[in-house]
Amino acid sequence: MLVMERLCEVLGRAGVAELKCSVRLGVARFELEGRSVMLYRSGRVDIRRIQNTGEARNVLEQIASLVRDAFSDTSS
């Protein structure tokens, strides 16, 4: 599960474009290479303006690299 406070901090430090982040609502919205991305506390990801599944896979990899530190460690 995403930790929203951390997610907002991580995205802010990364300098993503047009970041709007609400800890209370559990959603972060930003632009990534011309695509609108919404990340939800539940882990759901919505990406707008994707042409095909290959492109979606690449964008998801970029997002994963950006937000890796915003996930809670549930193993302990």
Side-chain angles (χ1 to χ4, degrees), residues 14-69:
V16 295
E18 299 183 36
L19 175 61
K20 293 183 181 176
C21 199
S22 174
V23 172
R24 186 178 61 81
L25 296 175
V27 64
R29 183 173 188 266
F30 59 95
E31 295 291 317
L32 183 65
E33 295 182 358
R35 296 169 190 93
S36 177
V37 177
M38 291 195 305
L39 301 177
Y40 298 89
R41 179 181 294 127
S42 66
R44 178 181 168 156
V45 178
D46 288 336
I47 308 169
R48 309 295 162 122
R49 298 186 291 270
I50 292 290
Q51 300 298 316
N52 55 52
T53 56
E55 184 179 340
R57 203 171 290 116
N58 290 337
V59 172
L60 281 172
E61 288 173 5
Q62 287 180 290
I63 293 168
S65 293
L66 275 174
V67 302
R68 189 172 323 259
D69 293 336

